[in-house]
Short mmCIF file of all heavy atoms in Angstrom, two decimals:
data_model
loop_
_atom_site.label_atom_id
_atom_site.label_comp_id
_atom_site.label_asym_id
_atom_site.label_seq_id
_atom_site.Cartn_x
_atom_site.Cartn_y
_atom_site.Cartn_z
N LYS A 1 8.66 7.97 4.11
CA LYS A 1 8.87 8.38 2.70
C LYS A 1 10.19 7.85 2.13
O LYS A 1 10.27 7.23 1.06
CB LYS A 1 8.79 9.91 2.57
CG LYS A 1 9.06 10.42 1.11
CD LYS A 1 8.99 11.97 1.16
CE LYS A 1 9.28 12.54 -0.20
NZ LYS A 1 10.63 12.43 -0.55
N ASN A 2 11.26 8.05 2.88
CA ASN A 2 12.58 7.65 2.42
C ASN A 2 12.70 6.12 2.27
O ASN A 2 13.27 5.64 1.34
CB ASN A 2 13.72 8.17 3.34
CG ASN A 2 13.83 9.70 3.27
OD1 ASN A 2 13.56 10.27 2.26
ND2 ASN A 2 14.28 10.33 4.39
N GLU A 3 12.18 5.45 3.33
CA GLU A 3 12.26 3.98 3.21
C GLU A 3 11.39 3.42 2.02
O GLU A 3 11.88 2.52 1.30
CB GLU A 3 11.71 3.37 4.51
CG GLU A 3 12.03 1.91 4.68
CD GLU A 3 11.79 1.43 6.05
OE1 GLU A 3 11.85 2.20 7.04
OE2 GLU A 3 11.53 0.19 6.18
N ALA A 4 10.21 3.97 1.82
CA ALA A 4 9.42 3.52 0.72
C ALA A 4 10.03 3.82 -0.63
O ALA A 4 10.04 3.00 -1.58
CB ALA A 4 7.99 4.12 0.87
N GLU A 5 10.62 5.01 -0.72
CA GLU A 5 11.24 5.43 -1.97
C GLU A 5 12.47 4.49 -2.26
O GLU A 5 12.76 4.22 -3.42
CB GLU A 5 11.62 6.84 -1.93
CG GLU A 5 10.43 7.74 -2.09
CD GLU A 5 10.74 9.24 -2.01
OE1 GLU A 5 11.93 9.66 -1.82
OE2 GLU A 5 9.78 10.02 -2.16
N GLY A 6 13.13 4.04 -1.18
CA GLY A 6 14.23 3.09 -1.37
C GLY A 6 13.69 1.79 -2.01
O GLY A 6 14.35 1.17 -2.89
N VAL A 7 12.55 1.29 -1.52
CA VAL A 7 12.00 0.06 -2.06
C VAL A 7 11.57 0.34 -3.54
O VAL A 7 11.79 -0.50 -4.41
CB VAL A 7 10.75 -0.31 -1.24
CG1 VAL A 7 9.99 -1.51 -1.89
CG2 VAL A 7 11.17 -0.72 0.16
N PHE A 8 10.97 1.45 -3.80
CA PHE A 8 10.58 1.75 -5.15
C PHE A 8 11.75 1.73 -6.08
O PHE A 8 11.69 1.23 -7.22
CB PHE A 8 9.86 3.14 -5.30
CG PHE A 8 8.62 3.26 -4.50
CD1 PHE A 8 8.19 4.51 -4.06
CD2 PHE A 8 7.81 2.21 -4.20
CE1 PHE A 8 7.05 4.67 -3.33
CE2 PHE A 8 6.63 2.33 -3.39
CZ PHE A 8 6.23 3.56 -3.01
N GLU A 9 12.84 2.33 -5.63
CA GLU A 9 14.04 2.39 -6.43
C GLU A 9 14.56 0.96 -6.76
O GLU A 9 14.94 0.64 -7.87
CB GLU A 9 15.15 3.21 -5.74
CG GLU A 9 16.43 3.38 -6.56
CD GLU A 9 17.43 4.26 -5.83
OE1 GLU A 9 17.03 5.08 -5.02
OE2 GLU A 9 18.62 4.14 -6.18
N GLN A 10 14.57 0.13 -5.75
CA GLN A 10 14.98 -1.28 -5.90
C GLN A 10 14.07 -2.01 -6.93
O GLN A 10 14.56 -2.91 -7.60
CB GLN A 10 14.98 -2.07 -4.57
CG GLN A 10 16.04 -1.67 -3.64
CD GLN A 10 15.97 -2.35 -2.28
OE1 GLN A 10 15.03 -3.11 -2.03
NE2 GLN A 10 16.98 -2.14 -1.51
N LEU A 11 12.84 -1.58 -6.94
CA LEU A 11 11.90 -2.20 -7.94
C LEU A 11 11.97 -1.55 -9.31
O LEU A 11 11.27 -1.98 -10.23
CB LEU A 11 10.44 -2.11 -7.34
CG LEU A 11 10.17 -2.91 -6.13
CD1 LEU A 11 8.83 -2.49 -5.54
CD2 LEU A 11 10.21 -4.38 -6.42
N GLY A 12 12.71 -0.53 -9.40
CA GLY A 12 12.82 0.21 -10.67
C GLY A 12 11.67 1.08 -10.96
O GLY A 12 11.32 1.35 -12.15
N LEU A 13 10.97 1.55 -9.86
CA LEU A 13 9.84 2.39 -10.11
C LEU A 13 10.10 3.83 -9.56
O LEU A 13 10.78 4.03 -8.56
CB LEU A 13 8.64 1.86 -9.19
CG LEU A 13 8.06 0.48 -9.61
CD1 LEU A 13 7.11 0.04 -8.51
CD2 LEU A 13 7.39 0.57 -10.97
N SER A 14 9.52 4.79 -10.17
CA SER A 14 9.51 6.14 -9.68
C SER A 14 8.38 6.23 -8.64
O SER A 14 7.46 5.37 -8.64
CB SER A 14 9.27 7.19 -10.78
OG SER A 14 7.99 7.06 -11.27
N VAL A 15 8.33 7.29 -7.87
CA VAL A 15 7.26 7.54 -6.90
C VAL A 15 5.98 7.66 -7.70
O VAL A 15 4.92 7.07 -7.31
CB VAL A 15 7.49 8.78 -6.05
CG1 VAL A 15 6.31 9.04 -5.20
CG2 VAL A 15 8.75 8.50 -5.21
N THR A 16 6.02 8.36 -8.86
CA THR A 16 4.78 8.55 -9.64
C THR A 16 4.24 7.21 -10.11
O THR A 16 3.07 6.97 -10.07
CB THR A 16 5.09 9.48 -10.85
OG1 THR A 16 5.46 10.74 -10.31
CG2 THR A 16 3.92 9.66 -11.72
N GLN A 17 5.09 6.35 -10.62
CA GLN A 17 4.70 4.99 -11.10
C GLN A 17 4.16 4.15 -9.97
O GLN A 17 3.14 3.52 -10.16
CB GLN A 17 5.88 4.27 -11.71
CG GLN A 17 6.36 4.86 -13.02
CD GLN A 17 7.67 4.33 -13.48
OE1 GLN A 17 8.57 4.11 -12.65
NE2 GLN A 17 7.81 4.10 -14.79
N ALA A 18 4.73 4.23 -8.74
CA ALA A 18 4.20 3.48 -7.60
C ALA A 18 2.82 4.02 -7.17
O ALA A 18 1.94 3.19 -6.95
CB ALA A 18 5.14 3.58 -6.43
N ILE A 19 2.60 5.35 -7.20
CA ILE A 19 1.29 5.86 -6.82
C ILE A 19 0.29 5.48 -7.90
O ILE A 19 -0.85 5.11 -7.58
CB ILE A 19 1.38 7.37 -6.70
CG1 ILE A 19 2.24 7.74 -5.46
CG2 ILE A 19 0.01 8.03 -6.61
CD1 ILE A 19 2.58 9.17 -5.25
N THR A 20 0.65 5.53 -9.17
CA THR A 20 -0.17 5.08 -10.24
C THR A 20 -0.65 3.70 -10.11
O THR A 20 -1.80 3.30 -10.29
CB THR A 20 0.41 5.40 -11.61
OG1 THR A 20 0.69 6.77 -11.67
CG2 THR A 20 -0.49 4.98 -12.75
N LEU A 21 0.34 2.79 -9.77
CA LEU A 21 0.05 1.41 -9.60
C LEU A 21 -0.95 1.17 -8.42
O LEU A 21 -1.91 0.40 -8.51
CB LEU A 21 1.30 0.58 -9.26
CG LEU A 21 2.21 0.31 -10.46
CD1 LEU A 21 3.50 -0.36 -9.94
CD2 LEU A 21 1.50 -0.71 -11.42
N PHE A 22 -0.76 1.95 -7.29
CA PHE A 22 -1.67 1.89 -6.20
C PHE A 22 -3.09 2.32 -6.59
O PHE A 22 -4.06 1.62 -6.34
CB PHE A 22 -1.21 2.74 -5.06
CG PHE A 22 -2.14 2.82 -3.88
CD1 PHE A 22 -2.31 1.73 -3.08
CD2 PHE A 22 -2.92 4.01 -3.72
CE1 PHE A 22 -3.21 1.77 -1.97
CE2 PHE A 22 -3.77 4.04 -2.60
CZ PHE A 22 -3.93 2.94 -1.76
N TYR A 23 -3.19 3.40 -7.31
CA TYR A 23 -4.54 3.89 -7.76
C TYR A 23 -5.12 2.91 -8.77
O TYR A 23 -6.39 2.70 -8.67
CB TYR A 23 -4.36 5.25 -8.46
CG TYR A 23 -4.46 6.41 -7.44
CD1 TYR A 23 -3.61 6.55 -6.41
CD2 TYR A 23 -5.44 7.34 -7.62
CE1 TYR A 23 -3.67 7.62 -5.53
CE2 TYR A 23 -5.58 8.45 -6.75
CZ TYR A 23 -4.70 8.56 -5.73
OH TYR A 23 -4.81 9.64 -4.85
N GLN A 24 -4.36 2.28 -9.65
CA GLN A 24 -4.85 1.30 -10.54
C GLN A 24 -5.47 0.10 -9.77
O GLN A 24 -6.49 -0.45 -10.08
CB GLN A 24 -3.85 0.79 -11.52
CG GLN A 24 -3.50 1.82 -12.60
CD GLN A 24 -4.58 2.04 -13.62
OE1 GLN A 24 -5.55 1.30 -13.73
NE2 GLN A 24 -4.46 3.09 -14.38
N GLN A 25 -4.76 -0.34 -8.72
CA GLN A 25 -5.21 -1.47 -7.93
C GLN A 25 -6.51 -1.10 -7.16
O GLN A 25 -7.40 -1.91 -7.03
CB GLN A 25 -4.16 -1.95 -6.98
CG GLN A 25 -2.96 -2.65 -7.68
CD GLN A 25 -3.55 -3.95 -8.27
OE1 GLN A 25 -4.23 -4.76 -7.68
NE2 GLN A 25 -3.28 -4.07 -9.61
N VAL A 26 -6.57 0.10 -6.67
CA VAL A 26 -7.80 0.57 -6.00
C VAL A 26 -8.99 0.53 -6.93
O VAL A 26 -10.05 0.07 -6.65
CB VAL A 26 -7.65 2.02 -5.44
CG1 VAL A 26 -8.95 2.63 -4.96
CG2 VAL A 26 -6.66 2.00 -4.25
N LYS A 27 -8.71 0.98 -8.17
CA LYS A 27 -9.77 1.01 -9.22
C LYS A 27 -10.20 -0.43 -9.52
O LYS A 27 -11.42 -0.72 -9.58
CB LYS A 27 -9.24 1.68 -10.47
CG LYS A 27 -10.17 1.69 -11.66
CD LYS A 27 -9.54 2.36 -12.84
CE LYS A 27 -10.05 1.87 -14.11
NZ LYS A 27 -9.29 2.36 -15.25
N LEU A 28 -9.22 -1.37 -9.78
CA LEU A 28 -9.54 -2.74 -10.09
C LEU A 28 -10.26 -3.48 -8.96
O LEU A 28 -11.08 -4.30 -9.21
CB LEU A 28 -8.26 -3.47 -10.47
CG LEU A 28 -7.62 -3.09 -11.80
CD1 LEU A 28 -6.22 -3.68 -11.96
CD2 LEU A 28 -8.48 -3.48 -13.00
N ASN A 29 -9.82 -3.20 -7.73
CA ASN A 29 -10.41 -3.86 -6.57
C ASN A 29 -11.66 -3.22 -6.06
O ASN A 29 -12.31 -3.72 -5.15
CB ASN A 29 -9.33 -3.98 -5.38
CG ASN A 29 -8.27 -4.91 -5.72
OD1 ASN A 29 -8.50 -6.18 -5.71
ND2 ASN A 29 -7.10 -4.45 -6.05
N ARG A 30 -11.90 -2.04 -6.58
CA ARG A 30 -13.02 -1.22 -6.07
C ARG A 30 -12.87 -1.04 -4.52
O ARG A 30 -13.87 -1.13 -3.79
CB ARG A 30 -14.37 -1.79 -6.45
CG ARG A 30 -14.54 -1.84 -7.98
CD ARG A 30 -15.89 -2.38 -8.45
NE ARG A 30 -17.01 -1.78 -7.72
CZ ARG A 30 -17.67 -0.67 -8.15
NH1 ARG A 30 -17.29 -0.07 -9.20
NH2 ARG A 30 -18.68 -0.25 -7.51
N GLY A 31 -11.69 -0.85 -4.12
CA GLY A 31 -11.34 -0.67 -2.68
C GLY A 31 -9.82 -0.74 -2.52
O GLY A 31 -9.09 -0.83 -3.50
N LEU A 32 -9.38 -0.79 -1.32
CA LEU A 32 -7.93 -0.86 -1.05
C LEU A 32 -7.50 -2.24 -1.43
O LEU A 32 -8.22 -3.25 -1.28
CB LEU A 32 -7.66 -0.63 0.44
CG LEU A 32 -7.97 0.79 0.92
CD1 LEU A 32 -7.70 0.87 2.43
CD2 LEU A 32 -7.01 1.79 0.18
N PRO A 33 -6.29 -2.33 -2.04
CA PRO A 33 -5.78 -3.63 -2.47
C PRO A 33 -5.17 -4.49 -1.38
O PRO A 33 -4.33 -5.33 -1.69
CB PRO A 33 -4.71 -3.24 -3.55
CG PRO A 33 -4.20 -1.87 -3.08
CD PRO A 33 -5.43 -1.19 -2.40
N PHE A 34 -5.58 -4.21 -0.14
CA PHE A 34 -5.07 -5.13 0.93
C PHE A 34 -6.19 -4.94 2.06
O PHE A 34 -7.03 -4.01 2.07
CB PHE A 34 -3.77 -4.62 1.52
CG PHE A 34 -3.66 -3.10 1.73
CD1 PHE A 34 -4.14 -2.41 2.77
CD2 PHE A 34 -3.03 -2.32 0.67
CE1 PHE A 34 -4.08 -1.02 2.88
CE2 PHE A 34 -2.90 -0.95 0.81
CZ PHE A 34 -3.46 -0.33 1.87
N ASP A 35 -6.19 -5.88 2.96
CA ASP A 35 -7.22 -5.88 4.01
C ASP A 35 -6.92 -4.79 4.99
O ASP A 35 -5.75 -4.60 5.42
CB ASP A 35 -7.22 -7.23 4.80
CG ASP A 35 -7.74 -8.38 4.01
OD1 ASP A 35 -8.52 -8.08 3.04
OD2 ASP A 35 -7.46 -9.55 4.32
N VAL A 36 -7.94 -4.03 5.46
CA VAL A 36 -7.87 -3.05 6.51
C VAL A 36 -8.89 -3.50 7.49
O VAL A 36 -10.06 -3.48 7.19
CB VAL A 36 -8.21 -1.64 5.95
CG1 VAL A 36 -8.14 -0.62 7.09
CG2 VAL A 36 -7.24 -1.27 4.83
N ARG A 37 -8.42 -3.78 8.71
CA ARG A 37 -9.31 -4.31 9.70
C ARG A 37 -9.06 -3.61 11.03
O ARG A 37 -7.99 -3.12 11.25
CB ARG A 37 -9.09 -5.77 9.92
CG ARG A 37 -9.30 -6.61 8.70
CD ARG A 37 -9.19 -8.06 8.97
NE ARG A 37 -9.38 -8.78 7.73
CZ ARG A 37 -9.08 -9.98 7.54
NH1 ARG A 37 -8.47 -10.65 8.46
NH2 ARG A 37 -9.39 -10.54 6.39
N ILE A 38 -10.10 -3.54 11.89
CA ILE A 38 -9.89 -3.01 13.21
C ILE A 38 -9.25 -4.10 14.02
O ILE A 38 -9.67 -5.26 14.01
CB ILE A 38 -11.34 -2.69 13.77
CG1 ILE A 38 -11.94 -1.58 12.99
CG2 ILE A 38 -11.16 -2.27 15.29
CD1 ILE A 38 -13.42 -1.29 13.37
N PRO A 39 -8.12 -3.77 14.67
CA PRO A 39 -7.39 -4.84 15.47
C PRO A 39 -8.21 -5.34 16.63
O PRO A 39 -8.94 -4.60 17.33
CB PRO A 39 -6.13 -4.08 15.91
CG PRO A 39 -6.39 -2.64 15.76
CD PRO A 39 -7.47 -2.49 14.71
N ASN A 40 -7.99 -6.63 16.87
CA ASN A 40 -8.68 -7.30 17.98
C ASN A 40 -7.84 -7.05 19.31
O ASN A 40 -6.75 -6.46 19.22
CB ASN A 40 -8.91 -8.73 17.78
CG ASN A 40 -7.64 -9.56 17.55
OD1 ASN A 40 -6.60 -9.16 18.05
ND2 ASN A 40 -7.70 -10.66 16.88
N ALA A 41 -8.29 -7.52 20.41
CA ALA A 41 -7.63 -7.26 21.72
C ALA A 41 -6.20 -7.87 21.73
O ALA A 41 -5.33 -7.22 22.24
CB ALA A 41 -8.47 -7.82 22.85
N THR A 42 -6.00 -8.97 21.17
CA THR A 42 -4.66 -9.63 21.13
C THR A 42 -3.72 -8.78 20.37
O THR A 42 -2.63 -8.51 20.79
CB THR A 42 -4.74 -11.00 20.51
OG1 THR A 42 -5.64 -11.80 21.34
CG2 THR A 42 -3.42 -11.68 20.53
N THR A 43 -4.15 -8.28 19.20
CA THR A 43 -3.36 -7.46 18.37
C THR A 43 -3.01 -6.12 19.10
O THR A 43 -1.86 -5.69 19.06
CB THR A 43 -4.02 -7.16 17.00
OG1 THR A 43 -4.26 -8.40 16.39
CG2 THR A 43 -3.15 -6.35 16.12
N LEU A 44 -4.00 -5.53 19.74
CA LEU A 44 -3.78 -4.32 20.49
C LEU A 44 -2.73 -4.48 21.59
O LEU A 44 -1.86 -3.63 21.78
CB LEU A 44 -5.07 -3.71 21.00
CG LEU A 44 -6.00 -3.18 19.94
CD1 LEU A 44 -7.37 -2.83 20.60
CD2 LEU A 44 -5.45 -1.96 19.23
N ARG A 45 -2.82 -5.65 22.30
CA ARG A 45 -1.86 -5.92 23.35
C ARG A 45 -0.48 -6.12 22.81
O ARG A 45 0.48 -5.62 23.32
CB ARG A 45 -2.25 -7.23 24.08
CG ARG A 45 -3.17 -6.92 25.28
CD ARG A 45 -3.27 -8.19 26.22
NE ARG A 45 -3.55 -9.46 25.53
CZ ARG A 45 -4.78 -9.82 25.19
NH1 ARG A 45 -5.85 -9.07 25.45
NH2 ARG A 45 -4.95 -11.00 24.58
N THR A 46 -0.38 -6.76 21.59
CA THR A 46 0.85 -6.93 20.98
C THR A 46 1.48 -5.57 20.56
O THR A 46 2.65 -5.40 20.75
CB THR A 46 0.76 -7.88 19.76
OG1 THR A 46 0.18 -9.08 20.16
CG2 THR A 46 2.11 -8.07 19.05
#
């Protein structure tokens, strides 16, 4: 939470604005705005 809020502050965003942006992207993409995948064996080993 603290680390993310530091990034938001550097971007000039409040937590509310950041959450709203995330929700808007979910709405526009009709899903998460980034890939979510099950890791393969190499990734799990890493």
Side-chain angles (χ1 to χ4, degrees):
K1 178 182 177 288
N2 290 334
E3 193 169 333
E5 287 177 359
V7 173
F8 299 153
E9 185 176 335
Q10 289 178 351
L11 293 170
L13 296 171
S14 68
V15 174
T16 298
Q17 290 169 321
I19 292 170
T20 300
L21 284 171
F22 175 73
Y23 271 60
Q24 287 289 347
Q25 287 298 307
V26 169
K27 177 181 154 187
L28 289 170
N29 287 288
R30 297 182 48 90
L32 294 176
F34 45 81
D35 289 338
V36 178
R37 298 182 180 165
I38 298 170
N40 62 26
T42 302
T43 303
L44 290 172
R45 272 195 309 278
T46 302

